[in-house]
């Protein structure tokens, strides 16, 4: 499936109430695009079909305790021996790793740390390998959707190397851009959030209040603009704008829901907004923090001087 075919499918699918595909999100929007862009024809034929059909669930193993925003400083090592690689290290914040079959892992394949970006390679590892230990982390909203992942002497062959040796940074950038593109308001909240906001406003009588009508119009306009930005060239600016819009949308909904927005009354379309609102701070971090997005906009789009390093 090409990127434009996927976009068409997403647009049509948004009109239907389909089963929740949240568990497939990382595989579809982060792992698959990397393979589609950088994989060999054999890798594409084997992995894309499995990921798109939901036969394999994928996770992203990039961040480490000392490598988040500065991703190029990853310390996980991949050591070559013939056509086999041995991978050792620790990853963190790995969304869905506890339910994944396969992990897209960024590792340092060149021991010479001065080569930074050029010394990185990308691999697909089996999450069921005995050398992989996954430890879930508890979040502020009670969920445990991301994990620490310990990788100890995991052996993979060359056919699990994506994009070739030393090309890991380029593969990572493809994944990260695709991740940011997938952070539009409708992708990060539940299905049809604007329709549900309007429904809620009608139910609680808010749709008659001029101030509420203005705020609904504001989030509607912002959602449309953020979709345009995502579809254009600026994933970084689009992510910043979309996160802010999601925050405005959820804040308004929780305000309208009143007490049922913070204590679960069992009523439909009420308490769910509170969980979404609590997830907004994580959107400001995942896929690159707000500060890093501003740096990217400044340096790459506005041509401002690079930040001192
Ligand atoms: C919900 C969620 C899901 C995630 N899922 C995954 C996943 O599946 N796989 C994965 O690999 N990672 C995942 N992450 C991790 C995410 O990519 C990192 O948290 C993010 O890149 C930031 O890295 P860090 O947490 O190490 O923070 P740090 O990089 O340590 O940053 C700390 C603070 O310093 C600021 N800062 C850092 N550098 C600069 C700079 N140069 N200029 C200005 N400010 C700066 C940051 O903006 C931030 O406020 C996830 C994170 C979240 C919140």
């Amino acid at each position: 499936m090409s990127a434009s075919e996927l976009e068409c499918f997403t647009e049509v699918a948004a009109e239907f109430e389909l089963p929740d595909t949240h568990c497939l999100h990382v595989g579809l929007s982060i792992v698959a695009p990397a393979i589609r862009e950088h994989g060999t024809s054999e890798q594409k034929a084997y992995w894309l079909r499995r990921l798109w059909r939901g036969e394999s669930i994928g996770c992203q193993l990039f961040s480490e305790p000392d490598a988040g925003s500065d991703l190029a400083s990853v310390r996980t090592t991949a050591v070559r021996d013939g056509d086999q690689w041995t991978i050792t290290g620790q990853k963190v914040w790995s969304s869905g790793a506890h339910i994944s079959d396969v992990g897209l892992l960024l590792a340092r394949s060149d021991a010479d740390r001065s080569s930074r970006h050029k010394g990185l390679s990308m691999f697909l590892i089996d999450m069921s390998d005995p050398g992989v230990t996954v430890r879930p982390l508890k979040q502020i909203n009670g969920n445990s959707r991301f994990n620490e992942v310990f990788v100890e002497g995991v052996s993979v062959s060359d056919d699990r190397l994506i994009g070739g040796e030393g090309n890991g940074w380029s593969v990572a950038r493809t994944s990260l851009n695709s991740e940011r593109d997938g952070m539009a308001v409708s992708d990060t909240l539940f299905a049809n959030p604007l329709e549900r906001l309007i429904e809620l406003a009608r139910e609680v009588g808010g749709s008659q209040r001029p101030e509420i009508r203005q705020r609904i119009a504001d989030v509607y306009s912002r959602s449309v603009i953020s979709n345009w930005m995502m579809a254009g060239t600026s994933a970084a600016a689009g992510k910043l704008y979309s996160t802010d819009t999601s925050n405005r949308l959820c804040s308004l909904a929780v305000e309208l829901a009143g007490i049922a927005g913070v204590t679960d009354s069992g009523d439909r379309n009420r308490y769910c907004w509170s969980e979404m609102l609590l997830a907004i701070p994580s959107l400001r971090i995942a896929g690159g923090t707000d500060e890093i997005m501003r740096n990217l906009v400044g340096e790459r789009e506005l041509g401002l001087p690079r930040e001192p390093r």
Side-chain angles (χ1 to χ4, degrees):
M1 202 188 305
S2 69
S4 58
E5 284 168 341
L6 189 61
E7 203 178 304
C8 288
F9 172 79
T10 311
E11 201 178 316
V12 174
E15 291 170 20
F16 298 88
E17 286 233 356
L18 297 176
D20 181 19
T21 53
H22 191 268
C23 65
L24 303 179
H25 176 75
V26 176
L28 293 176
S29 67
I30 299 175
V31 180
I35 298 170
R36 189 177 60 206
E37 182 80 24
H38 300 275
T40 60
S41 46
E42 289 79 17
Q43 287 169 336
K44 287 185 205 175
Y46 185 78
W47 287 109
L48 291 181
R49 189 178 167 83
R50 297 177 86 84
L51 290 163
W52 284 336
R53 291 169 67 102
E55 292 165 2
S56 287
I57 296 182
C59 65
Q60 177 199 42
L61 303 173
F62 290 7
S63 305
E64 297 183 1
D66 291 317
S69 301
D70 186 15
L71 190 58
S73 55
V74 292
R75 290 185 182 174
T76 293
T77 56
V79 179
R80 187 195 263 285
D81 182 8
D83 64 355
Q84 291 289 315
W85 295 84
T86 303
I87 303 178
T88 302
Q90 186 197 339
K91 298 292 175 176
V92 72
W93 315 125
S94 320
S95 305
H98 56 302
I99 53 161
S100 291
D101 305 297
V102 65
L104 185 69
L105 179 142
L106 185 65
R108 184 155 298 288
S109 51
D110 181 347
D112 177 8
R113 284 183 187 277
S114 62
S115 60
R116 265 181 67 90
H117 298 90
K118 285 188 189 146
L120 299 171
S121 297
M122 192 71 83
F123 298 87
L124 274 177
I125 64 163
D126 278 330
M127 296 304 287
S128 59
D129 189 289
V132 177
T133 307
V134 178
R135 257 191 235 158
L137 294 160
K138 195 84 172 168
Q139 297 163 227
I140 188 175
N141 58 4
N143 288 334
S144 281
R145 288 199 175 142
F146 48 30
N147 307 270
E148 291 178 299
V149 176
F150 299 87
V151 183
E152 284 168 41
V154 168
S155 179
V156 293
S157 54
D158 256 345
D159 62 4
R160 295 298 190 95
L161 175 65
I162 307 291
E165 185 174 352
N167 201 28
W169 188 249
S170 169
V171 185
R173 281 185 64 170
T174 299
S175 277
L176 290 169
N177 278 334
S178 171
E179 179 177 7
R180 288 162 196 162
D181 276 346
M183 293 182 92
V185 176
S186 50
D187 294 324
T188 46
L189 306 180
F190 30 58
N192 308 323
L194 276 159
E195 283 84 342
R196 289 181 68 166
L197 173 71
I198 294 167
E199 189 187 323
L200 174 63
R202 286 208 175 103
E203 283 169 7
V204 300
S207 56
Q208 299 305 320
R209 287 165 44 200
E211 179 228 338
I212 300 297
R213 292 168 71 94
Q214 273 184 22
R215 285 173 68 187
I216 292 174
D218 174 63
V219 288
Y220 171 76
S221 319
R222 285 170 183 275
S223 296
V224 173
I225 294 169
S226 102
N227 286 346
W228 285 339
M229 291 168 87
M230 294 288 186
T233 49
S234 178
K239 181 185 181 257
L240 278 169
Y241 199 77
S242 157
T243 309
D244 182 59
T245 305
S246 298
N247 187 34
R248 286 166 188 253
L249 202 156
C250 291
S251 302
L252 177 55
V254 170
E255 221 176 292
L256 288 171
I259 193 76
V262 281
T263 47
D264 194 355
S265 59
D267 293 331
R268 189 186 167 274
N269 203 15
R270 298 287 192 281
Y271 187 62
C272 51
W273 287 103
S274 171
E275 188 187 347
M276 289 296 151
L277 186 62
L278 286 175
I280 301 288
S282 73
L283 299 182
R284 295 191 187 286
I285 302 170
T289 66
D290 278 5
E291 289 77 16
I292 297 301
M293 293 305 104
R294 289 194 187 101
N295 280 351
L296 291 179
V297 171
E299 292 173 14
R300 295 200 191 146
E301 287 165 35
L302 302 177
L304 298 174
R306 287 180 69 82
E307 66 167 325
R309 289 177 202 270

